Amino acid sequence: MGASSAQPSEPIDPLVENGLGSPMCGAGHDAGALSPSAQRNCQTSGFAAALAPTSNYEFDIYASSGGLFGISLDTRALFQEYVLAPIWLALVWVVHVVLAMLEWCYSLDLLESSLASGLVPGLRGAEAAFTRPWLAFVLALAAVLAVYRGLVRRRVTQTLGEVLLMLAMMAGGLWLIVDPSGTLGALGRATTEASLATLGAVVRGTPAAAGRSLTDGMRDVFTEGIEAPWCYLEFGQVRWCQEPAQLDPRLRAAGLRVAAERQRSSGCRATLAACLKSGSPQARADSVSAALLRAARSNGELFLALAPNTGPRNSTAASNALLGALCGSSDIGHCRGPTVAQAQFRTDGSTGQRIVGLLLIWAGDAGMIALLGFLALRLLGAALLTLVYLMLAPGAVLAPAFGDSGRAVFREWAARLFGTVVSKLLYSLLLGAVLAIVRILLSLRGLGWWMQWLLVAALWWGAYTTRQRLLAFVQGEERAAPAPRAASIGARVHNALRTPREVYQGARWVHDKLSRPAPDVEQREAIEQVVRARAHATAAEQVDRTLALDHRKARAGAADAPRIHARLAERQQQLERVRRERERAQASGDGRRAARLGVRAVRIEGEIAHGREQLARTRHAAALGERLRRHIGRPYTREQQQARARFLDDQAALPAAAERLRASRPQAAAPASGAGAAQQLLSGQDQRAEGGAAGAATGAGASPRGRDYAALAGLAGYGAGEYERLDSRRRRQARLEIDRELALRRELSGAAADAVPAPDGQLGRRRSQRAERDFEQALERRLHDGGSELPSTHRKPEPPLEEWLTDARARARRSPVMRDAHDVAARRKRQLGRPRR
């Protein structure tokens, strides 16, 4: 760790030696498809994304020898060695594993000939044990069904098409079983090539040399995620570490001397490739170090060529040590030269900076690990699910013989199998977009490394948190959302195990089920919750419907602004003519005519002012609703919903017009006290209260205030102004519909209480549906008892007359009595000599 000049054996990268190297570096891949830097990395580290072995990326810790048994007792140095260094090395390993897994996802072919040698016998064995014995039976069953549908039900053309489709499905399934490598394997290889081409087109702008796009992208990720943070933890200055223009001549000379020593100790004078094929592990490690030292173009590459905390890299006493050349002195506390800060950063004085830096580095790299790990797991999971669905082929090939449902099962199986194979294209598009943005951010050198690091970290976390929405957008799910349907058991399990939070929620659900209270109590609470939710949804629907209608009317009024302006202009011209005539009457001494014209002018001025004010309010309401729709998805706020709900509740508590009329009949001789009080709409527009005999009656048995039907016209589908312009018959119909809507609202809570029966078992989907039907029946009973009925917006549509007659005839034909009557009539016709129709 400190000033020891001993040269221990160079460690072997345990990840690469145990199979987590780059698959592109293997003997079976074309080396010409890789960039020169990737080819060099394959030789020196076995990992196309890393310049040196993984263990070389540990940062150095310098502590002077001393203390008990020559071990340093500096607590800060010990903290760096036994806490910070393992945390950093764990991060390096995790990033290495994730990137290697991602490369393997684009190179691993589970259906190639070497891996399919055990798959084909298994498939054929399952086909011989399961498919062949049942094939004759299902074909016979399919033939019976075809005869019945074609001859008995006389659907010859449709049955012929279904038979051909069944045979095509079964033939395709059998072909897949016989030759999985030539069918599904060929599709998988084509998908892999297309995925790499897509990745190259997004990252580099060309689909050519797709393997180079993948390895170069992984190299950029490793450089930004590991090498640049290592430079900070090693020297405290990333630019000095990475840029070739900052290469120190003293370090370069010391590195060449160490390279010459390593070359002599390896005993190999040939090329690096030849040296790696022969010799001991230590000789191969010395050859790799020598090659890296000679090819180093930056200060960081010189240090990465050697193992950490060894004499050639972290000693000031050795003659050819890099730290000695960096410090310019054998005493780390008395360094001299331009690189004093870089040399002393590895001492205990930089503990605080390394702690803060390591926390920020981990926070940023965690997003990268999460996103790339998510993509790697999805790709590997799709490859493994391909084998699972392939092993289900012996059973799926029999499904088309069982009619429409069997063909639907086969189509679902084939779609899932095809989806697992081609899903690599979708994930490649997302990965390519992220790698392209990373490359752009890496080119912004003028920002400084920490600012660049924060931008890249924000990219990783932003892409990870929105991964589902990005994938859904690429698939087109947000533009045309399919109708919801019941998920299968497998889909529910997959969704439940998607994230740790959902796993916890699933475990919590199991715990609640096992430790729930008595079934009767729980079921009653569940039924009450279902019924209350239904009642709340019905009440909220009235509020949303009226508010949405107000917005539509406001939009229509704003769109009609040119016609309103023209009408106001005409009224303004009329006002000018009236004023001129009034002036002439005054000049001629006709005071009576002048007074009448003056009153008329005042009335016209009021109409013009009212029209302008109404237009301004309408435009404001329409613009406000559109802004709300863009921001929150609806043209009204929660406060408006609450205010409208309170208004409807208050109006529902008032008596209807018919009730007030009935209550006023015994006191018909009582004097009328005028029209009902004016109400103000929630939108701020003043509406006149409902007048007439029902509103004028205020006897001892009547309420002094009636309902404001003009303000409630939205429940019947009218605006306030439209309601005022209705004739008497349509106005009575609108009032009746409004009274029904308010009666429905008033009876919701009582119907919810009536719909909760005595519990009789667990509450499932059918029981929930029955609870909702009980609520609807209780609501209808309460409305009927109150002398009302369901409004038109809550009634089920009745079938047309032709459909009802067709159903009646069909029911009559199925009746044995009517069938006998038809036979008797036909027999009488034959006896009379009339032909049977």
Side-chain angles (χ1 to χ4, degrees):
M1 174 175 82
S4 174
S5 60
Q7 181 179 326
S9 175
E10 294 284 346
I12 299 175
D13 194 332
L15 298 178
V16 175
E17 292 295 329
N18 289 280
L20 273 180
S22 291
M24 301 291 184
C25 298
H29 289 79
D30 183 16
L34 302 177
S35 61
S37 60
Q39 296 179 22
R40 181 195 61 181
N41 295 347
C42 287
Q43 290 183 343
T44 56
S45 65
F47 185 45
L51 173 68
T54 305
S55 56
N56 287 16
Y57 284 91
E58 182 180 355
F59 57 81
D60 295 311
I61 304 166
Y62 187 93
S64 58
S65 302
L68 187 62
F69 303 109
I71 300 177
S72 175
L73 297 180
D74 191 342
T75 56
R76 289 181 295 180
L78 293 176
F79 180 81
Q80 290 191 43
E81 181 178 5
Y82 293 106
V83 178
L84 299 184
I87 293 176
W88 163 251
L89 195 58
L91 177 62
V92 176
W93 279 41
V94 171
V95 172
H96 182 118
V97 169
V98 170
L99 296 183
M101 286 176 58
L102 205 54
E103 290 187 31
W104 275 104
C105 291
Y106 288 92
S107 304
L108 184 62
D109 187 3
L110 297 178
L111 295 177
E112 63 182 0
S113 57
S114 59
L115 295 177
S117 57
L119 181 65
V120 175
L123 273 176
R124 292 181 178 176
E127 185 261 344
F130 183 79
T131 308
R132 291 181 188 175
W134 288 96
L135 186 60
F137 171 75
V138 298
L139 288 177
L141 179 62
V144 172
L145 293 176
V147 170
Y148 172 75
R149 292 173 63 87
L151 299 181
V152 178
R153 303 187 66 179
R154 297 181 181 181
R155 297 180 179 178
V156 180
T157 305
Q158 181 182 358
T159 303
L160 182 60
E162 292 175 352
V163 170
L164 294 177
L165 179 61
M166 177 197 70
L167 294 177
M169 288 181 173
M170 298 179 73
L174 291 174
W175 184 24
L176 182 64
I177 294 173
V178 172
D179 188 14
S181 297
T183 54
L184 194 63
L187 178 62
R189 289 187 290 272
T191 302
T192 301
E193 294 177 0
S195 302
L196 289 174
T198 302
L199 189 66
V202 176
V203 177
R204 301 175 60 246
T206 174
R212 177 177 298 185
S213 301
L214 178 62
T215 54
D216 290 350
M218 296 298 101
R219 171 64 181 167
D220 293 339
V221 172
F222 194 85
T223 299
E224 181 62 23
I226 295 299
E227 286 191 6
W230 173 83
C231 286
Y232 174 79
L233 296 174
E234 181 77 5
F235 306 106
Q237 297 183 12
V238 179
R239 182 185 175 193
W240 180 89
C241 172
Q242 285 187 323
E243 291 188 2
Q246 300 287 333
L247 182 60
D248 193 289
R250 296 175 302 164
L251 281 179
R252 176 65 176 169
L256 292 177
R257 291 194 296 269
V258 175
E261 293 180 0
R262 291 297 176 92
Q263 191 68 33
R264 288 193 301 269
S265 63
S266 66
C268 181
R269 298 296 182 267
T271 61
L272 178 60
C275 293
L276 293 176
K277 293 180 181 179
S278 60
S280 62
Q282 182 61 41
R284 293 197 298 269
D286 290 340
S287 300
V288 168
S289 296
L292 288 175
L293 288 169
R294 286 194 296 267
R297 298 177 302 169
S298 64
N299 298 316
E301 292 182 359
L302 288 172
F303 279 81
L304 285 175
L306 302 171
N309 295 315
T310 57
R313 173 168 158 174
N314 194 37
S315 174
T316 56
S319 58
N320 293 328
L322 296 182
L323 180 59
L326 193 66
C327 180
S329 173
S330 59
D331 186 3
I332 195 69
H334 298 83
C335 293
R336 55 182 180 271
T339 57
V340 173
Q342 291 85 342
Q344 292 182 345
F345 192 81
R346 64 192 62 226
T347 61
D348 54 5
S350 62
T351 304
Q353 299 180 49
R354 281 182 168 178
I355 292 174
V356 176
L358 188 56
L359 290 176
L360 294 176
I361 291 166
W362 250 107
D365 275 349
M368 176 188 69
I369 295 170
L371 178 63
L372 299 183
F374 166 77
L375 295 176
L377 289 177
R378 283 298 182 91
L379 291 172
L380 289 177
L384 295 176
L385 281 178
T386 302
L387 300 182
V388 174
Y389 288 126
L390 183 60
M391 294 304 297
L392 295 178
V397 75
L398 302 176
F402 293 94
D404 294 337
S405 59
R407 288 188 292 273
V409 171
F410 184 88
R411 283 193 294 268
E412 181 71 16
W413 168 79
R416 290 181 179 272
L417 179 62
F418 180 78
T420 56
V421 176
V422 302
S423 61
K424 192 177 295 184
L425 284 170
L426 178 62
Y427 297 118
S428 298
L429 185 61
L430 177 59
L431 177 62
V434 174
L435 293 181
I437 299 176
V438 168
R439 172 166 292 188
I440 294 173
L441 294 178
L442 289 178
S443 63
L444 303 177
R445 297 294 183 182
L447 296 177
W449 179 74
W450 271 123
M451 188 61 194
Q452 189 183 51
W453 171 260
L454 293 176
L455 290 176
V456 175
L459 168 66
W460 292 124
W461 280 113
Y464 175 73
T465 54
T466 59
R467 63 194 186 281
Q468 299 295 348
R469 279 181 285 177
L470 291 174
L471 294 175
F473 175 76
V474 175
Q475 291 173 337
E477 295 179 359
E478 292 188 356
R479 290 171 297 185
R485 60 177 183 176
S488 62
I489 296 178
R492 292 177 182 176
V493 173
H494 170 72
N495 294 333
L497 299 179
R498 183 175 297 173
T499 61
R501 181 180 180 183
E502 291 168 344
V503 173
Y504 170 75
Q505 291 176 353
R508 186 69 177 270
W509 178 82
V510 174
H511 176 269
D512 294 341
K513 283 294 182 182
L514 295 178
S515 61
R516 63 187 180 185
D520 291 347
V521 176
E522 181 183 349
Q523 189 207 19
R524 186 174 182 86
E525 293 176 353
I527 294 176
E528 290 178 355
Q529 183 178 1
V530 169
V531 173
R532 284 197 302 269
R534 181 60 182 273
H536 177 74
T538 304
E541 186 271 337
Q542 290 181 336
V543 173
D544 295 342
R545 176 155 47 90
T546 56
L547 289 174
L549 179 66
D550 291 344
H551 176 63
R552 289 197 301 270
K553 298 298 181 183
R555 288 183 57 188
D560 201 26
R563 189 177 63 85
I564 296 175
H565 279 301
R567 188 169 67 247
L568 293 177
E570 293 177 358
R571 301 293 285 174
Q572 185 67 34
Q573 294 176 1
Q574 183 183 5
L575 177 62
E576 296 297 332
R577 290 196 300 270
V578 170
R579 287 175 175 173
R580 286 196 298 269
E581 291 296 331
R582 181 173 178 270
E583 291 176 356
R584 292 195 189 101
Q586 288 177 347
S588 63
D590 191 353
R592 180 175 296 180
R593 175 176 172 81
R596 288 199 304 268
L597 292 175
V599 172
R600 188 177 180 184
V602 171
R603 179 173 56 81
I604 296 175
E605 287 179 354
E607 291 177 356
I608 293 174
H610 177 73
R612 289 174 178 174
E613 182 182 0
Q614 186 71 19
L615 180 60
R617 285 200 301 264
T618 301
R619 284 181 167 178
H620 175 72
L624 179 61
E626 289 301 318
R627 287 198 299 270
L628 291 173
R629 185 189 295 276
R630 288 194 297 269
H631 287 85
I632 62 177
R634 60 177 186 270
Y636 45 85
T637 63
R638 187 177 299 276
E639 291 75 13
Q640 289 176 318
Q641 286 179 307
Q642 296 172 354
R644 181 60 58 89
R646 290 193 298 269
F647 174 73
L648 294 179
D649 292 338
D650 294 340
Q651 292 293 312
L654 297 176
E659 296 174 359
R660 298 180 69 236
L661 184 60
R662 287 195 299 267
S664 64
R665 281 175 182 172
Q667 294 84 14
S673 60
Q679 297 285 340
Q680 186 176 8
L681 265 179
L682 298 175
S683 59
Q685 301 177 5
D686 295 333
Q687 305 293 344
R688 291 181 299 170
E690 177 66 14
T698 57
S703 174
R705 186 167 66 96
R707 289 176 176 171
D708 187 357
Y709 287 98
L712 295 168
L715 292 174
Y718 297 105
E722 292 176 337
Y723 176 80
E724 295 290 346
R725 293 190 296 269
L726 292 176
D727 54 26
S728 59
R729 182 183 62 84
R730 297 178 64 186
R731 184 176 293 193
R732 284 195 301 270
Q733 293 176 352
R735 285 202 302 266
L736 179 60
E737 185 68 18
I738 291 170
D739 290 339
R740 289 172 178 173
E741 290 280 356
L742 294 180
L744 173 69
R745 188 178 188 89
R746 187 174 58 238
E747 299 296 340
L748 285 175
S749 58
D754 295 343
V756 181
D760 55 357
Q762 295 185 0
L763 185 68
R765 184 177 62 181
R766 294 183 179 178
R767 189 65 185 86
S768 300
Q769 294 174 353
R770 198 171 89 187
E772 293 183 355
R773 289 196 300 270
D774 293 343
F775 169 74
E776 294 175 357
Q777 294 173 2
L779 186 59
E780 291 181 3
R781 285 195 304 269
R782 294 181 68 88
L783 290 174
H784 182 267
D785 295 342
S788 181
E789 59 183 21
L790 282 175
S792 59
T793 55
H794 294 78
R795 297 176 193 165
K796 295 181 180 178
E798 297 181 357
L801 180 60
E802 294 79 4
E803 183 180 351
W804 184 86
L805 292 175
T806 302
D807 294 341
R809 294 192 189 100
R811 290 193 298 270
R813 294 191 191 99
R814 291 194 297 268
S815 173
V817 177
M818 295 302 297
R819 190 163 54 246
D820 295 341
H822 284 303
D823 293 341
V824 172
R827 187 164 57 252
R828 289 180 177 176
K829 289 180 180 179
R830 287 195 300 269
Q831 292 173 356
L832 295 174
R834 287 181 291 181
R836 182 180 180 181
R837 294 181 182 178

